[in-house]
Amino acid sequence: MPSAAGAKLKDVAALAGVSVGTVSNVLNRPEQVSTEKRSRVLAAIDELGFVRNESARSLRSGSTRSLGMLVLDVRNPFFTDVALGAENVAEDHKHSLILANSAEDSDREQAYLDLFEQQRVQGILITPFGNVLERLETMRSRGIPSVLVDRLARTDQFCSVSVDDVAGGATALSHLLSVGSVRPAFVGGPFTLQQVEDRYRGAADAAERAGIRLQLFETPDLKFERGRHVGDSIAKLQPNERPDAVFAANDQLALGLLQSFAANGLRVPEDIAIVGFDDIDFASQSSIPLTSVSQPRQLIGERAAGLLFDEIDDEPGHVHSQVVFTPELVARQSTRRG
Amino acid sequence: MPSAAGAKLKDVAALAGVSVGTVSNVLNRPEQVSTEKRSRVLAAIDELGFVRNESARSLRSGSTRSLGMLVLDVRNPFFTDVALGAENVAEDHKHSLILANSAEDSDREQAYLDLFEQQRVQGILITPFGNVLERLETMRSRGIPSVLVDRLARTDQFCSVSVDDVAGGATALSHLLSVGSVRPAFVGGPFTLQQVEDRYRGAADAAERAGIRLQLFETPDLKFERGRHVGDSIAKLQPNERPDAVFAANDQLALGLLQSFAANGLRVPEDIAIVGFDDIDFASQSSIPLTSVSQPRQLIGERAAGLLFDEIDDEPGHVHSQVVFTPELVARQSTRRG
DNA sequence: CCGTTGTAATGAATCGATTCATTTGTGAAC
DNA sequence: GTTCACAAATGAATCGATTCATTACAACGG
């Protein structure tokens, strides 16, 4: 249990009686070193408590063993799951993942991109918030590629991994119809969010195909509180003009509706059914388990990281690709047919 | 919008017509450079798109601008909140926080400590899982101090920031008594977890002081599913031998109980009241909002990071301190008195 | 015995920013 | 006019690991 402070490669070489080059080889290409010297070096490393200096390593070799990941909100379980998937892949490639939180703030987003650039990460996984695509392109031209996560690249300048929200919206609404809804409603907003727009469009189209009108309750955000608020106004409506089922643009909103309905004495699903979107853990853990549209979160992270490594490893021959997952519905009690 | 690839400090110096030392000064001590040269340098930096190489910087200067943080489970909202608090403080000190997930796995924990050591982080925030205290001490002796998070240091070798779980347990139980419980129960385990042990002891002592017996339902873990399972067996008991209130060791467990009781037709809080621990967001977002014992999560992270910087900045004179927060109860509908 | 081939090992040069001892320049003081 | 103080600027040395051209040596064939 040695505790010498700050041994460096040179010291190891001296103690083992070999050259610095040999020590470096033991660290990086152990198969090219004779068994005898290798074990002498390893013994010396152990005795001195030598830890290799990553700064020096990456300065000389020109490459860091790390990826940067920039998400909109670390507190959102969706993103931690995606990050988990990405981290697993990074680990397989012996890279580490630096997770950063733009917190839906353009300045922070820029600052973290600065940081990633300074740290010379090998690549970036990002759910863009502000207007950063142009910057990402110049970063790629300087050798730092990026992959868009949870956002379809409209250009073919990037790889992206996303989910087909239109299909998800259609699935959700079809499900409501299949359990007997004749007066469905959509709750969500703002429509400037592509995902809200897509989920609504999918649902509206599905309703139209069935010859049914989809009522709309537009909201300025997707938070729990907002759901409770909208829920209160829905509960106040006369039974004959009240929706018999709602599709909420995400689970937070859906949980808010659920709480409000419970507080207002509406029975779910008998009086009104609810389907959410994202299938966060708490959807299934609610008192009345929530039906939700599920996205393969870890898989999204894994594929994104996979694409990124493709581009890192094969820079010239790389062809950008857009991976789009189709979400699936998980039926639970909140839409159980009576 | 320049796109030259890989400009380095020397290039900037050449373009601005100054020495490399001056450019470095503009970057690090701008007040020591004349206004004229400073602006010439800044213009050159801009024109070349120069980004300083952090590896080279920290190799030469011997210090990185980063902290490592190692938590038990990034998917647990408790830890993301703590991390958020720590990150804010790190940002104030112009440091970045590298967040890693030991996932309650000793090997991963060791691997991340290796990584932190190689990256020469300035300090470490850690919720230890395996037996790492000894290693942390040798790391400190090599210049990397650490602070224990959500865990009271039993030695005075470390700073720590934690919560008084005994007091929290007592508060929870007193609350149940105050709303009229005469047959309370505790649900939680394993008792090898210090936190479970403490919360139970606090509750048991409070019950004893009131001359009331605290029933115990021990569990092998603290997960949602487990709560549902225990809830089912509690619901099967005869009304006269069934607890009239339960204190769950954490919110996951409490939510499981809640779901089970709802499914079994027990009314909360009329038939049985519930109090949880942690006050995660979803506690308040449940259909029946959950009373819970709340820990100042972000504050924990902030204080921990603060103590760490104290030690980093003032290595010789630093005295370790143990910060212990007292949690507080947030009463909601699940214990509303009838 | 010489030449060839291949494996191990060597160590000086290198990555790019920072540091610091030194030089240059300016103005004030005498 | 000389000295002194002080600010500004310089550039060579440096951090520590990696790289790669070179050397050392052994084995083998002819």
Side-chain angles (χ1 to χ4, degrees):
Chain A
M1 224 62 61
S3 78
K8 45 189 82 161
L9 194 137
K10 194 167 50 170
D11 305 325
V12 174
L15 181 61
V18 300
S19 71
V20 293
T22 300
V23 178
S24 178
N25 282 336
V26 170
L27 259 29
N28 301 301
R29 309 171 195 73
E31 73 286 355
Q32 290 187 16
V33 179
S34 67
T35 325
E36 188 229 338
K37 297 214 164 175
R38 193 189 320 156
S39 55
R40 250 161 59 202
V41 169
L42 290 174
I45 286 178
D46 203 54
E47 180 167 346
L48 294 173
F50 166 78
V51 176
R52 99 135 129 337
N53 184 322
E54 181 65 22
S55 297
R57 203 204 129 271
S58 59
L59 170 59
R60 176 60 235 238
S61 73
S63 83
T64 56
R65 303 206 142 288
S66 60
L67 301 184
M69 178 163 192
L70 193 43
V71 302
L72 295 183
D73 179 11
V74 269
R75 295 198 48 193
N76 184 331
F78 173 83
F79 288 115
T80 44
D81 285 350
V82 175
L84 220 48
E87 193 189 11
N88 290 339
V89 174
E91 201 180 349
D92 292 345
H93 287 246
K94 304 207 176 312
H95 279 236
S96 62
L97 185 78
I98 303 176
L99 182 61
N101 182 22
S102 69
E104 308 201 358
D105 173 334
S106 282
D107 292 339
R108 286 178 62 104
E109 183 175 45
Q110 291 290 345
Y112 276 116
L113 289 178
D114 287 348
L115 189 73
F116 288 161
E117 215 171 348
Q118 286 168 206
Q119 307 220 120
R120 301 290 195 274
V121 298
Q122 294 290 97
I124 294 176
L125 297 171
I126 181 173
T127 304
F129 174 72
N131 191 10
V132 289
L133 261 45
E134 203 171 315
R135 168 156 193 197
L136 292 176
E137 290 198 38
T138 84
M139 285 177 75
R140 159 172 305 119
S141 75
R142 292 189 198 147
I144 305 183
S146 42
V147 169
L148 307 185
V149 177
D150 194 35
R151 167 120 143 62
L152 178 67
R154 277 164 305 173
T155 79
D156 55 358
Q157 295 299 104
F158 291 95
C159 283
S160 70
V161 178
S162 58
V163 160
D164 186 344
D165 284 301
V166 174
T171 307
L173 204 96
S174 303
H175 174 71
L176 289 180
L177 298 181
S178 81
V179 298
S181 169
V182 293
R183 250 178 300 127
F186 176 88
V187 177
F191 279 75
T192 48
L193 283 179
Q194 190 61 41
Q195 290 154 342
V196 172
E197 166 70 27
D198 288 353
R199 288 168 195 179
Y200 175 70
R201 206 175 65 240
D205 289 354
E208 194 175 347
R209 279 196 299 276
I212 281 186
R213 201 182 88 78
L214 179 64
Q215 208 176 142
L216 170 64
F217 293 86
E218 189 171 351
T219 63
D221 63 60
L222 295 169
K223 304 220 175 95
F224 173 82
E225 298 298 343
R226 189 67 58 185
R228 221 171 46 180
H229 187 254
V230 173
D232 288 347
S233 26
I234 290 179
K236 282 204 197 78
L237 298 173
Q238 294 303 319
N240 61 339
E241 63 183 17
R242 189 201 301 138
D244 59 2
V246 291
F247 167 31
N250 78 353
D251 283 345
Q252 306 279 355
L253 219 44
L255 290 171
L257 292 168
L258 198 58
Q259 189 182 83
S260 160
F261 293 161
N264 285 288
L266 285 184
R267 290 167 307 157
V268 174
E270 292 82 356
D271 295 327
I272 188 163
I274 305 181
V275 54
F277 208 110
D278 282 350
D279 192 28
I280 59 179
D281 283 352
F282 292 97
S284 62
Q285 300 179 1
S286 177
S287 313
I288 297 168
L290 183 69
T291 296
S292 188
V293 179
S294 172
Q295 314 188 45
R297 292 169 295 212
Q298 274 198 227
L299 197 51
I300 291 173
E302 286 167 16
R303 285 298 281 279
L307 289 173
L308 187 54
F309 278 115
D310 275 357
E311 186 164 354
I312 291 170
D313 295 338
D314 174 33
E315 210 186 314
H318 181 79
V319 177
H320 296 304
S321 57
Q322 270 68 43
V323 174
V324 179
F325 287 107
T326 302
E328 60 186 33
L329 186 122
V330 183
R332 300 200 184 88
Q333 194 180 332
S334 74
T335 58
R336 196 77 72 210
R337 66 175 79 224
Chain B
M1 225 60 62
S3 79
K8 47 190 81 164
L9 194 137
K10 193 167 50 170
D11 304 326
V12 174
L15 181 61
V18 301
S19 71
V20 293
T22 300
V23 178
S24 178
N25 282 337
V26 170
L27 259 28
N28 302 301
R29 310 172 196 72
E31 73 286 355
Q32 290 187 17
V33 179
S34 69
T35 325
E36 188 229 338
K37 298 214 164 176
R38 194 190 321 156
S39 55
R40 252 164 53 204
V41 168
L42 290 174
I45 286 177
D46 203 53
E47 180 168 345
L48 294 173
F50 166 78
V51 177
R52 106 135 130 331
N53 183 322
E54 180 65 21
S55 297
R57 201 204 130 271
S58 58
L59 170 60
R60 175 61 236 234
S61 74
S63 83
T64 58
R65 303 207 142 286
S66 59
L67 301 183
M69 178 162 193
L70 193 43
V71 302
L72 295 185
D73 178 12
V74 269
R75 296 199 46 193
N76 184 332
F78 173 82
F79 287 114
T80 44
D81 285 351
V82 174
L84 219 50
E87 192 188 12
N88 290 340
V89 173
E91 200 179 350
D92 291 345
H93 287 248
K94 303 207 178 309
H95 278 236
S96 62
L97 185 77
I98 303 176
L99 182 61
N101 181 22
S102 69
E104 308 201 0
D105 173 334
S106 283
D107 293 338
R108 286 177 64 103
E109 184 175 45
Q110 291 290 346
Y112 276 115
L113 289 178
D114 288 348
L115 188 73
F116 288 161
E117 214 170 351
Q118 287 169 204
Q119 308 222 119
R120 300 291 195 275
V121 297
Q122 294 289 98
I124 294 176
L125 298 171
I126 181 173
T127 304
F129 174 73
N131 191 11
V132 290
L133 261 45
E134 202 170 316
R135 169 156 192 196
L136 292 176
E137 290 199 38
T138 84
M139 285 178 75
R140 160 172 305 120
S141 75
R142 291 188 199 148
I144 305 183
S146 42
V147 169
L148 307 187
V149 177
D150 194 35
R151 165 114 141 68
L152 179 67
R154 277 164 305 171
T155 79
D156 56 358
Q157 295 298 106
F158 291 94
C159 284
S160 69
V161 179
S162 57
V163 160
D164 185 344
D165 284 301
V166 175
T171 308
L173 204 97
S174 304
H175 174 71
L176 288 180
L177 298 181
S178 81
V179 298
S181 169
V182 292
R183 249 178 301 126
F186 176 88
V187 176
F191 278 75
T192 47
L193 283 179
Q194 190 62 40
Q195 291 154 341
V196 172
E197 166 71 25
D198 289 353
R199 287 167 196 181
Y200 174 71
R201 206 176 65 241
D205 290 354
E208 192 174 351
R209 280 195 298 276
I212 280 186
R213 201 182 87 79
L214 178 64
Q215 208 176 140
L216 169 63
F217 294 85
E218 189 171 351
T219 63
D221 63 61
L222 296 169
K223 305 219 175 95
F224 174 83
E225 298 298 342
R226 189 68 58 185
R228 220 171 47 179
H229 187 252
V230 174
D232 288 347
S233 25
I234 291 179
K236 282 205 197 78
L237 297 173
Q238 294 302 320
N240 60 340
E241 62 183 17
R242 190 202 299 139
D244 60 1
V246 292
F247 166 31
N250 79 351
D251 283 346
Q252 305 280 355
L253 220 43
L255 290 172
L257 292 168
L258 197 59
Q259 190 183 79
S260 160
F261 294 162
N264 285 288
L266 284 183
R267 291 165 308 158
V268 174
E270 293 82 355
D271 295 326
I272 189 164
I274 305 182
V275 55
F277 207 110
D278 282 349
D279 193 28
I280 59 179
D281 282 353
F282 292 96
S284 62
Q285 299 180 0
S286 176
S287 314
I288 297 166
L290 182 69
T291 295
S292 189
V293 178
S294 172
Q295 315 188 45
R297 291 170 295 212
Q298 272 195 231
L299 197 52
I300 290 173
E302 286 166 16
R303 285 298 282 279
L307 289 174
L308 187 54
F309 279 114
D310 275 358
E311 186 164 354
I312 291 169
D313 296 339
D314 174 32
E315 211 188 313
H318 181 78
V319 177
H320 295 303
S321 57
Q322 270 66 46
V323 174
V324 178
F325 287 107
T326 301
E328 59 187 33
L329 186 122
V330 183
R332 299 201 183 88
Q333 194 181 331
S334 74
T335 59
R336 195 77 74 211
R337 67 174 78 222

